[in-house]
Amino acid sequence: MDLNSASTVVLQVLTQATSQDTAVLKPAEEQLKQWETQPGFYSVLLNIFTNHSLDVNVRWLAVLYFKNGIDRYWRRTTPHALSEEEKSTLRAGLITNFNEPVNQIATQISVLIAKVARVDCPRQWPELIPTLVEAVKVQDDLQQHRALLTFYHVMKTLASKRLATDRKLFYDLTSSIYSFACSLWNHHTDTFLQQIWRGDEAAAANSLERTLLSLKVLRKLTVHGFVEPHCNAEVMGFLHAVFERLKQFLECSRIVRAESICRDRLEKTIILFTKVLLDFLDQHPCSFTALIQRSLEFSVSYAFTEAGEGVVFEQFIIQCMNLIKMIVKNYAYKPSKNIEDSSPETLEAHNIKAAFFTFPTLMEICKRLVTHYFLLTKEELAMWEEDPESFTVEETGGDSWKYSLRPCMEVLFIDIFHEYNQTLTPVLLEMVHSLQGSTNVENTSAILIKDAVYNAVGLAAYELFDSVDFDQWFKNQLLAELQVSHDRYKPIRRRVIWLIGQWIPVKFQSDLRPILYEAICNLLQDRDLVVRIETATTLKLTVDDFEFRTDQFLPYLESMFTLLFQLLQEVTQCDTKMHVLHVLSCVIERVNMQIRPYVGCLVQYLPQLWKQSEEHNMLRCAILTTLIHLVRGLGADSQNLYPFLLPVIQLSTDVSQPPHVYLLEDGLQLWLVTLENSPYLTPELLRIFKNMSALLELSSENLKNCFKIINAYIFLSSSEFLEMYAADLCRSFCELLKDITIEGQVQVLKVVENVLKVNPVLGPQMFQPLLPSVFKGIMEGERYPVVMSTYLGIMGRVLLQNARFFSLLLSQMACELGQESDQILGNMIEMWVDRMDNITQPERRKLSALALLSLLPSLNSVIQDKFCGIINISVEGLNDVMTEDPETGTYKDCMLMFHFEEPRATEVEEPPTEQDKRRKNLALRDPVHAVSLQQFVYEKLKAQQELLGEQGFHALMETVDTEIVAQLQEFLQGF
């Protein structure tokens, strides 16, 4: 590619690719895609984006294409990889000068240099680091900044490599440039401080940017560039200097006003200092031991004393609290129960912590957390009034404590209280005792203090288990506080009901639950929305608790459900609706069928909510979960929901529809539950099955649920279902069995086994293409026992319940294998007898005995030759299923079912679903449960005896082991 002529062409196409007109844009993108693999293309791009006279948008696009090309074609092993000559030219061109005037493009160039460095530095690109080190020393402001920006991105990328050889290279690199990086950072930091104290804000802003970048470089080198950083005096010197610099920068924040151009970057730099300490503690806890004392003194001073007043800001407080939390909770600083087993470093760290966290210090931290940080702020109270739903969606869980103040301080409180609970329990209890009785509604500050103290008691519930008689407190004080209906008292009503929710799983007397349900009913009618939402949350925790009793709850069910439904209608935000739906789902799940009289309103509302939530897939997931519990609760009556329910299932499980990504898992569960509770198959329910073939092709983690759904259709109406879908299913199964795990194979085969169980006449014909592979599997002695067991289960069904088809299959196999039918039959019986131990399920073991006995009576010499094996299996089966009646001394088959009796559901057991009833009915028709093995053995042996005569039969019995014969006679006594 001639560079000059090519540049003109590429420049023209890049210009077209920046167009807003799709007719121009699309062909240009296609052309650029074709050029991606052309030699010389990236050299042209380099020329374009380093030419500052060209349009910025074109240069930006050129950088992006170059960056994407590095990802795809830079490594030697990739298809269409760039040649070594071109790469060498590109590397040299990238670091020729650092004078990009546009910030965004400069950042992209730095990132793409780092991407190349990840692959090539230092072996193929040894000159990169020396070039960067020289470039950051130049006097030109722009060049210095761009070089420093690149230096940072290169260090960030190299530090992220994790292979041992790469780590070693980075250690070597760090040791060679660490001193320079420290001096560079010190120089820019000193320059900034001098300029800011002089009041030269413009110059200070430039220096601060360089301070920030050089500190970012040092952070990567310090945290990732040393195996044992505490052994390096320069590293520890830098870390100690961080505390001094932090104090200087915090003092600066007094004079840098909020509107100053430096303010935002100054706060970023202060936070970056704390990130250096936090990262170092996370990666090198033992090396951090020397810094524990100073870190705790610094953090506690600024977060919990007057020292921080006027200089600290929210994000800095969060970082200080996280530093204390990580030191308190660090497992490297906790000695073993047996002190002798602890390392000297651990003991040293533990001792430093113990010396620091004295009773006065802990008391001050605890009191300040509760009475200062836990207080609801003006902003939060304003939000409560203006946007109550957003107020209730608290940012908790996951890593929110790292970034948000309220989760951060609550997690710190929990960790400190857990670590020093013996010291802090009396402190907290004293606060509680000072707040006995209801608080004056006019005293806002007293109300907020009580809210904060109750918050602390809820957070520390597990630690206070032995110290607080919560039941007495609930009866004597908390209940009365819930009844204070004044508007200003709503923070306490909300906090008390939240507090009860925290204590429910810890310690709450079962007899008090009806009183609590009464209180919840009242609070669900509270004038304040936040109180109602918090009450719904506590209701969920109460209902979801291990000690929940339905009988206590039922008197309140109707009013609770009505009030929750009203709340669901009233709230408007997606997250709040999801939350209330989860509470409703939980209630429906726990009371099950008892919900039936009360769900009419919800059933009518859900279609409307589903329609409104078209853009909110997570809300739709919540609706699906509610429907799952609703269908279970309604049982057969759920058919009334089908006009809404079936289109929902159809959409959720259609892989051609985009929402399936979010809805599929819950949609399949709803489909399954709907089938399990359906009294009969409707045409619409049958039609939905068209979604299944695409789902089976996905072969995802949802495959198990797909098989359960197929089984449910088979049990529901095998004839109709198989007539319509058997051919498709058989094709899908044949494809699946080619590439599926052992567990997956078994799931497929179990479906086939169920088809044969439900429909022994038509089933074998419909799944005929699958049966030869099952037959071969038995003949070849399938090595996986669980698969072999399923093979024998399938073949047992065919042999026992459709002998004519078995005969045809035997002829087909004989033809395929070029052997006599009798020879194949003999080999199969021999393998069956040999692998009987693979079958562990008693039902299948009995089925095997019945199936092989069904070959008798017979004059066939092969069957007579295998007679001994057949009797062995029969006696094994008898041993499995026969139980002796201690009174009469006779044996009976324990697997026989004589009549269908619907069991009564107890409190613990769920009532039987429609599918449970179908399975029970099927079992009554199943030979395994309908035929006495003892009787069957007797009849078959008698028929064989009549066929052969006394002498012939005696000779046949002679082939059986005498011990087996003795057992057989014992089982058959009385016949």
Side-chain angles (χ1 to χ4, degrees), residues 460-470 503 506-507:
Y462 284 96
E463 307 299 334
L464 295 171
F465 179 85
D466 294 320
S467 308
V468 173
D469 185 345
F470 192 79
W503 275 85
V506 180
K507 182 163 58 173

Side-chain angles (χ1 to χ4, degrees), residues 118-138:
R118 184 179 184 87
V119 182
D120 289 354
C121 184
R123 292 191 178 90
Q124 282 82 38
W125 206 2
E127 66 274 17
L128 173 63
I129 304 299
T131 304
L132 289 172
V133 168
E134 288 306 311
V136 296
K137 294 177 186 175
V138 299

Side-chain angles (χ1 to χ4, degrees), residues 766-795:
M766 289 173 164
F767 284 85
Q768 196 276 334
L770 276 172
L771 295 177
S773 62
V774 172
F775 204 107
K776 283 176 189 167
I778 296 172
M779 298 283 289
E780 292 163 8
E782 164 62 47
R783 66 195 181 102
Y784 290 105
V786 65
V787 178
M788 187 61 160
S789 167
T790 319
Y791 281 167
L792 293 173
I794 290 171
M795 206 46 64

Side-chain angles (χ1 to χ4, degrees), residues 627-896:
L627 285 169
I628 289 166
H629 296 308
L630 207 48
V631 170
R632 282 186 181 135
L634 290 170
D637 292 347
S638 59
Q639 274 209 311
N640 298 329
L641 293 177
Y642 283 8
F644 167 54
L645 199 60
L646 301 188
V648 165
I649 295 171
Q650 163 71 40
L651 174 74
S652 307
T653 59
D654 184 351
V655 297
S656 67
Q657 298 287 338
H660 89 272
V661 175
Y662 304 95
L663 308 179
L664 181 58
E665 192 174 337
D666 292 318
L668 287 172
Q669 190 63 40
L670 178 59
W671 192 358
L672 176 60
V673 168
T674 302
L675 289 166
E676 286 173 345
N677 288 279
S678 179
Y680 53 83
L681 186 65
T682 67
E684 294 79 17
L685 203 48
L686 189 60
R687 209 173 296 127
I688 297 177
F689 195 81
K690 288 178 180 173
N691 285 356
M692 185 56 73
S693 59
L695 288 166
L696 292 174
E697 280 175 30
L698 276 181
S699 296
S700 66
E701 66 277 4
N702 294 309
L703 213 47
K704 195 176 277 188
N705 268 342
C706 291
F707 291 134
K708 285 181 183 175
I709 289 165
I710 296 166
N711 282 324
Y713 273 104
I714 291 164
F715 293 132
L716 183 57
S717 179
S718 65
S719 303
E720 277 181 85
F721 170 68
L722 292 172
E723 195 177 312
M724 189 175 262
Y725 292 111
D728 290 343
L729 259 185
C730 195
R731 269 195 299 276
S732 294
F733 284 177
C734 288
E735 283 302 311
L736 270 175
L737 287 169
K738 291 176 187 173
D739 180 28
I740 199 172
T741 61
I742 296 302
E743 188 189 357
Q745 282 183 48
V746 171
Q747 294 291 338
V748 171
L749 295 168
K750 276 184 179 174
V751 174
V752 178
E753 192 177 12
N754 283 330
V755 170
L756 302 179
K757 192 188 291 187
V758 174
N759 207 323
V761 178
L762 293 175
Q765 293 170 21
M766 289 173 164
F767 284 85
Q768 196 276 334
L770 276 172
L771 295 177
S773 62
V774 172
F775 204 107
K776 283 176 189 167
I778 296 172
M779 298 283 289
E780 292 163 8
E782 164 62 47
R783 66 195 181 102
Y784 290 105
V786 65
V787 178
M788 187 61 160
S789 167
T790 319
Y791 281 167
L792 293 173
I794 290 171
M795 206 46 64
R797 292 268 164 209
V798 177
L799 176 54
L800 177 63
Q801 294 180 271
N802 198 333
R804 195 178 68 80
F805 188 87
F806 180 79
S807 176
L808 291 171
L809 181 63
L810 199 61
S811 303
Q812 181 190 339
M813 296 311 298
C815 192
E816 275 185 36
L817 299 171
Q819 296 176 16
E820 290 294 318
S821 293
D822 283 354
Q823 184 188 351
I824 288 177
L825 178 61
N827 291 345
M828 191 188 78
I829 296 171
E830 193 172 317
M831 186 59 75
W832 204 321
V833 173
D834 184 49
R835 299 295 290 275
M836 184 67 178
D837 286 344
N838 286 172
I839 305 175
T840 53
Q841 304 92 330
E843 290 87 352
R844 276 204 194 136
R845 290 176 70 80
K846 180 178 176 181
L847 175 67
S848 287
L850 291 170
L852 291 175
L853 280 166
S854 72
L855 293 167
L856 302 178
S858 175
L859 292 170
N860 187 315
S861 59
V862 170
I863 293 174
Q864 291 188 19
D865 186 42
K866 305 298 176 190
F867 181 78
C868 169
I870 294 171
I871 297 303
N872 283 352
I873 281 185
S874 302
V875 172
E876 272 191 49
L878 287 166
N879 276 305
D880 289 330
V881 303
M882 301 305 285
T883 53
E884 188 176 4
D885 188 330
E887 290 179 13
T888 61
T890 55
Y891 288 92
K892 60 178 181 182
D893 189 330
C894 68
M895 283 199 179
L896 288 181

Side-chain angles (χ1 to χ4, degrees), residues 574 577 606-621 623 663:
C574 183
K577 281 193 181 288
L606 284 177
Q608 179 190 333
L609 185 59
W610 179 265
K611 197 172 182 181
Q612 289 168 355
S613 61
E614 200 166 345
E615 302 300 314
H616 304 285
N617 286 310
M618 298 316 291
L619 178 52
R620 285 195 159 185
C621 287
I623 296 170
L663 308 179

